[in-house]
Each structure stands twice: as C-alpha cells, then as structure tokens.
C-alpha cells in the first residue's frame, strides 16, 4: 500500500470479526438492495400456470375399399348368399373359398385368381356350411339345406358321402368338434350332437347317428353355433340369447350341462365366434359386439 501523504493520519488496520466465519463477502457496488427498485417494492413474478395440452387430433380410420367383386352363379339369379367359409385343399395346400347360395349350389373359388374350382349341386337352398375333420376319417364338407337335411361331401371328388336326417325344421347352424362330433341346430331350438358309428367291418362304411340333444333347448330358432374351448359350446338364438354348455366327464354318466346364459334383447345374433377370451357377435342391427 502507498504511504500516507503528509498531514494525513494513517488509518488503523482493519480487524476481522472473530464471530464471522470465513472471509467477509465483498459488496457489489452495482447490486440494488433486496426488495427495493427505484424506491418501491419490486413486483412479484406471476406464478407459472400449466395450461392443459390438447391431445393431437385422432386420425379417422381409413375407409374400406372394395378391391374385387364377382358374381356368384348366373347374372340373372337373384338368390342370396347366406354362408361362406375358407378351407385349405389337402392335395395342393392352397386356400379355397367355399360359397353356399340359395340357388342350390356350393361353389369353390381360388381367392388369388377368383377362378371357380368346383361346384356341388344341392337338393335345396343352402343355409350354412362347415368343414368337418373327424380323427381317423377323411375330411368332409357339411352343408345344410332348407329341406331339414345335412349333406356330407367329399371335396376332392365332389361325391356325396352321407345324408343326415332328423331335424323337424330347417337347419340354420353347424359346428365341428375336435373329437369328431358334429353339431347342428335349427328352428326347433335344440342343439343336436352327431357321432360316427364304425363297426370296423371290412367293406362296410361307417355311419352317423344322433348321440343326444343338449339340455335346456331354446324356445325359438338357433342362428349360430361356436366352440368356446375344450368341451365348451356356444349357441345363439333369434331372441338374442346366448348359452354356454360344457361337457362334464366326471358326471355319471358323462353329460353336457348348461353353464351360463347371456341375453341381449336389442336384436338377434346372426353370427358369433370366440377369439382368445372374447366373444364376438354380429347382430341384426349392423353392430358387432365384443364380450369378455
């Protein structure tokens, strides 16, 4: 430090405060005092308000586009097409679309080229179709007609193998079980179980017979049958009722038992099937409903 000028007294040395910890903080010459700005209080900063963020607009689902259409049967025929199914040809392993119509025909089409592959003449108008593959026997196509009969066809040759009779009204639903049984239902409200009777006699073909009718029949016509799981059957009726049966093999004798019932009176169920743990129903009001 520079020595004091003549006539000035030397300032005493600055003694630090022993109570203060650390070094004293130097004051900033340009920092204003806290809480004062221009002689008044500084305005309080407004609180940050979180505005609700609007979700992005949901894109509308794309419209369904018809990429192919073809006439089933003759162009002058105005008969309806009530049923169709997809199956895989055993010889070529190619898919075949089978279409049943009220003009007494079942036609098969190649779904890639839409070329007609086969045509089966039916005695009456077709109401429903079902592929049936009993263990140990050739697979057959089951077709039900308005004459209350069920016909079993050899798809490879187009030959009629069996005719099942016994319904009192038109058959409207068919379903195949893994154990080889075939289910059918119609206007009388009963679910009928068919089984193969094979006497193992050389040269004598096997036969089909009615094993039983499931308990708790409906008071109206049955519109659809479906498999809900191992030994579980679903049936839907025209009054909107859906019933579930299961096969109790521990009972004496083993029997089918009606386990659950669900009723939706808004409209009748026209088709249904099970996917994982869900039941999907297509109804007459143009609505597909999913039940868990």
């Amino acid at each position: 430090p520079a020595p004091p000028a003549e006539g000035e007294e030397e300032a005493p040395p600055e003694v630090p405060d022993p109570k203060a910890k650390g070094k004293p903080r130097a004051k900033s010459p340009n920092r204003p005092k806290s809480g004062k700005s221009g002689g008044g209080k500084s305005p309080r900063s407004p609180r940050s308000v979180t505005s609700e963020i609007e979700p992005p607009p949901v894109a509308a689902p794309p419209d369904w586009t018809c990429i192919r259409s073809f006439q089933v049967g003759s162009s002058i025929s105005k008969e309806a097409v009530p049923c169709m199914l997809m199956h895989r040809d055993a010889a070529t392993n190619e898919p075949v679309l089978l279409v049943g119509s009220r003009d007494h025909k079942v036609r098969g089409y190649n779904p890639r080229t839409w070329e007609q592959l086969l045509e089966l003449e039916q005695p009456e108008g077709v109401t429903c179709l079902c592929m049936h593959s009993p263990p140990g026997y050739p697979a057959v196509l089951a077709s039900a007609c308005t004459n209350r009969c069920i016909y079993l066809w050899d798809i490879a040759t187009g030959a009629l193998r069996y005719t099942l009779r016994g319904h009192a009204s038109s058959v409207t639903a068919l379903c195949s079980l893994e154990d080889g049984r075939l289910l059918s239902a119609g206007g009388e409200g009963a679910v009928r179980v068919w089984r193969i009777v094979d006497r193992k006699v050389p040269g004598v073909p096997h036969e089909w017979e009615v094993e039983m009718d499931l308990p708790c029949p409906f008071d109206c016509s049955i519109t659809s049958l479906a498999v809900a799981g191992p030994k579980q059957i679903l049936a839907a009726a025209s009054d909107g009722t859906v019933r579930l049966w299961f096969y109790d093999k521990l009972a004496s004798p083993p029997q089918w038992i009606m386990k659950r019932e669900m009723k939706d009176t808004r409209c009748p169920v026209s088709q249904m099937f099970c996917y994982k743990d869900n039941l999907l129903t297509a109804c007459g009001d143009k609505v597909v409903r999913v039940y868990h």
Side-chain angles (χ1 to χ4, degrees):
E6 294 182 0
E8 290 184 359
E9 295 182 358
E10 184 178 358
E14 193 174 9
V15 180
D17 189 358
K19 296 182 180 181
K21 297 181 180 180
K23 297 181 179 180
R25 298 180 60 183
K27 295 182 180 180
S28 175
N30 299 329
R31 181 183 297 176
K33 293 183 179 181
S34 175
K36 295 182 180 180
S37 176
K41 294 183 178 180
S42 62
R44 300 179 63 183
S45 60
R47 293 182 179 178
S48 60
V49 180
T50 58
S51 60
E52 295 183 359
I53 301 176
E54 296 183 358
V58 179
D63 295 333
W64 289 90
T65 303
C66 179
I67 61 174
R68 184 76 166 92
S69 63
F70 59 95
Q71 180 73 33
V72 175
S74 62
S75 59
I76 61 176
S77 175
K78 296 183 180 179
E79 299 293 340
V81 180
C83 53
M84 62 180 178
L85 63 86
M86 190 79 73
H87 95 103
R88 194 166 290 275
D89 186 82
T92 62
N93 200 31
E94 292 291 330
V96 178
L97 175 66
L98 298 173
V99 180
S101 61
R102 295 293 174 87
D103 62 351
H104 306 186
K105 304 280 187 182
V106 173
R107 299 175 177 88
Y109 297 91
N110 185 330
R112 295 189 178 93
T113 63
W114 303 110
E115 174 190 2
Q116 182 172 332
L117 304 176
L118 60 93
E119 182 175 291
L120 303 177
E121 185 74 26
Q122 306 291 309
E124 294 289 340
V126 182
T127 57
C128 52
L129 297 173
C130 174
M131 287 301 302
H132 185 52
S133 302
Y137 298 91
V140 293
L141 169 67
S143 64
C145 298
T146 55
N147 61 353
R148 301 173 294 180
C149 294
I150 304 169
Y151 301 95
L152 305 182
W153 302 84
D154 186 346
I155 290 292
T157 62
L160 176 61
R161 295 301 184 190
Y162 301 95
T163 301
L164 310 183
R165 297 179 176 90
H167 280 276
S169 61
S170 177
V171 180
T172 55
L174 294 171
C175 185
S176 175
L177 299 183
E178 294 182 354
D179 60 3
R181 289 174 171 84
L182 179 66
L183 304 179
S184 62
E188 66 265 31
V191 179
R192 183 151 295 175
V193 183
W194 301 82
R195 68 177 179 181
I196 293 178
V197 178
D198 195 346
R199 296 176 174 85
K200 305 296 182 180
V201 178
V204 177
H206 62 271
E207 299 175 355
W208 287 82
E209 69 176 9
V210 177
E211 180 181 7
M212 63 177 300
D213 288 349
L214 295 188
C216 304
F218 294 89
D219 297 330
C220 55
S221 62
I222 296 176
T223 57
S224 181
L225 294 171
V227 176
K231 302 296 184 179
Q232 297 187 39
I233 299 172
L234 283 166
S238 58
D239 63 350
T241 304
V242 178
R243 289 177 181 170
L244 171 67
W245 287 268
F246 80 100
Y247 187 71
D248 187 3
K249 64 181 180 180
L250 299 179
S252 180
Q255 57 185 329
W256 289 92
I257 299 176
M258 204 274 283
K259 184 178 181 181
R260 187 174 300 176
E261 178 179 293
M262 177 187 68
K263 189 167 185 177
D264 191 345
T265 58
R266 285 174 285 188
C267 60
V269 177
S270 56
Q271 291 290 332
M272 67 176 176
F273 70 93
C274 294
Y275 177 70
K276 294 183 179 180
D277 293 333
N278 298 326
L279 170 65
L280 285 76
T281 62
C283 304
D285 57 355
K286 304 179 183 179
V287 176
V288 176
R289 296 178 174 87
V290 182
Y291 300 92
H292 184 72

